[in-house]
Amino acid sequence: NDPVVAIVGVTGAVGAEFIATMDKRGFRVGKLKALASARSAGKTVSFRGQNVVIEELTERAFEGVDIALFSAGGSISRKYAPIAVKAGAVVVDNSSAFRMDPNVPLVIPEINANRIRDHKGIIANPNCAAITALVPLWPIHRKNRIKRVIISTYQAASGAGAAAMEELVESTRANLNGQVYMPKVMPHPYAFNLFNHNTAIDPDTGYNDEETKVIKETRKIFEDDTIAVGVTCVRVPVLRAHCEAITFECEKPITEDQVRAIMAQAPGVKVIDDRARNYFPMPIDASGQDDVLVGRIRKDLSDASGHSISMFVAADQLLKGAALNAVQIAELLPQRVMA
Ligand code: A2P
């Protein structure tokens, strides 16, 4: 029988992409359970031409569920993922709640699909900024170990959810109409502005939580505790798809041609690197695409030793950064009946 699949946070920005991605990839679903807060209960979502009634997330919601995809925030996952596991479901969790738990595999299928089988009920989907950097960095790291990487992010509204996307549109409109807009979701004015990532700052280190996630998750996914990661995460007024400027230093010398050749073969990567036309990865092109776009591949001129390369990448935060990666994980579960 095809699995019963629950989506927790079905009305959210990622929830909608869970449905679209399962549909696009022909993921077989026996029955879909659409779960959200009491606010949404009774409304419907459309799945494969059928209207599915949204149910309130409760402790009893997981009876008979085989696979549960969670994207309703960390506190909902912390409370309900163990309940779903107890009811017999395998959880693929998009929140940060369990990512660093040693009993929970943290999986990017292009990198460590083999870790899925270690799960004890929960598999964590990595942070979107981490996924965007690591998909292209992994095949380089395997050939010529990356000792050190510096990442600067340009993160879209989508990473903060549907309400943040709406705030970007509404505040931009208000600005253009000469009206004052008071931010409701973001900590600062979003239209025609950018700011430090809207997660808590560690008062001692000065790093925000997003940056700490990228550092820790890189080490866990690469299974390399010594890789040095420097990172600055910034929210930019882009609706969807994150960009990142990445500079990495390898153990052995590396050339841009070698990186280009590795990228051309890399799963989940598409090279967009047209110097003649000044055409490189952009959020507008990454939106709706499965691949991480990679370009501006060039020698890092600050490292005369020839061990360092810089590049610029873009990926759809809602797809490879969230829903697509989770559905790819779900596709590798034995609960999934292969088409
Ligand atoms: P709802 O629309 O009913 O509030 P986003 O990441 O786009 O902000 O979406 C968050 C998702 O998490 C939404 O689907 C939202 O449902 C859901 N959610 C938020 N709070 C709860 C809750 N207490 N119980 C269940 N789902 C929740």
Side-chain angles (χ1 to χ4, degrees):
N1 282 356
D2 291 337
V4 176
V5 177
I7 296 180
V8 180
V10 74
T11 51
V14 176
E17 297 301 333
F18 279 146
I19 288 189
T21 302
M22 287 195 303
D23 208 18
K24 188 174 162 198
R25 296 173 70 88
F27 191 100
R28 286 173 59 171
V29 175
K31 181 177 174 239
L32 181 73
K33 273 202 120 179
L35 302 170
S37 77
R39 294 180 290 274
S40 305
K43 294 180 187 166
T44 59
V45 285
S46 166
F47 180 59
R48 297 195 171 137
Q50 303 234 313
N51 282 333
V52 179
V53 178
I54 299 171
E55 296 169 49
E56 182 184 356
L57 173 64
T58 65
E59 300 194 3
R60 300 224 317 277
F62 298 98
E63 282 163 27
V65 170
D66 299 301
I67 298 172
L69 305 175
F70 274 68
S71 190
S75 53
I76 296 287
S77 291
R78 260 187 291 277
K79 176 167 179 196
Y80 288 96
I83 294 171
V85 172
K86 222 175 230 164
V90 176
V91 170
V92 183
D93 182 30
N94 196 53
S95 84
S96 62
F98 302 101
R99 286 183 192 145
M100 294 314 297
D101 184 329
N103 288 314
V104 174
L106 182 62
V107 174
I108 300 173
E110 289 84 351
I111 299 177
N112 60 348
N114 58 323
R115 286 283 164 226
I116 291 173
R117 61 170 179 258
D118 300 339
H119 80 79
K120 296 177 176 62
I122 302 174
I123 299 157
N125 210 44
N127 168 275
C128 46
I131 295 176
T132 301
L134 300 185
V135 167
L137 289 178
W138 173 250
I140 298 162
H141 186 67
R142 287 189 65 185
K143 283 219 159 70
N144 184 353
R145 184 175 169 270
I146 295 171
K147 285 186 349 196
R148 177 169 181 245
V149 58
I150 297 170
I151 301 169
S152 303
T153 74
Y154 306 68
Q155 294 182 236
S158 54
M165 295 172 81
E166 199 178 308
E167 178 151 308
L168 176 56
V169 172
E170 289 308 314
S171 61
T172 304
R173 183 175 291 131
N175 257 264
L176 292 173
N177 289 335
Q179 293 158 347
V180 176
Y181 183 94
M182 295 306 286
K184 299 183 201 71
V185 182
M186 290 303 198
H188 304 290
Y190 205 1
F192 308 106
N193 192 24
L194 55 81
F195 43 84
N196 173 50
H197 193 276
N198 52 300
T199 41
I201 297 262
D202 183 314
D204 297 326
T205 64
Y207 277 76
N208 65 49
D209 263 358
E210 185 85 349
E211 292 160 351
T212 307
K213 288 174 194 171
V214 171
I215 296 168
K216 290 184 173 167
E217 294 180 26
T218 297
R219 293 183 177 147
K220 178 165 175 175
I221 295 164
F222 277 15
E223 298 180 23
D224 182 341
D225 282 340
T226 59
I227 184 168
V229 184
V231 56
T232 303
C233 289
V234 171
R235 196 67 84 178
V236 297
V238 165
L239 213 46
R240 177 174 178 153
H242 292 348
C243 291
E244 299 180 3
I246 302 176
T247 295
F248 57 89
E249 182 190 352
C250 292
E251 229 154 49
K252 294 176 279 180
I254 188 156
T255 66
E256 44 174 84
D257 285 343
Q258 285 169 340
V259 171
R260 225 170 257 122
I262 296 169
M263 289 299 97
Q265 305 288 323
V269 165
K270 183 169 168 189
V271 177
I272 300 201
D273 204 10
D274 188 342
R275 291 178 182 177
R277 289 172 59 228
N278 192 348
Y279 207 112
F280 301 108
M282 291 188 279
I284 273 185
D285 288 337
S287 292
Q289 280 218 31
D290 288 353
D291 291 329
V292 178
L293 309 183
V294 177
R296 303 225 54 210
I297 300 168
R298 65 207 194 279
K299 189 175 170 174
D300 167 20
L301 296 178
S302 76
D303 176 10
S305 75
H307 288 65
S308 302
I309 295 287
S310 291
M311 56 194 198
F312 192 77
V313 306
D316 191 325
Q317 180 277 327
L318 293 175
L319 294 178
K320 188 58 194 168
L324 170 63
N325 196 75
V327 172
Q328 284 177 306
I329 292 170
E331 284 172 352
L332 297 170
L333 294 171
Q335 280 79 356
R336 154 107 161 111
V337 182
M338 296 308 289

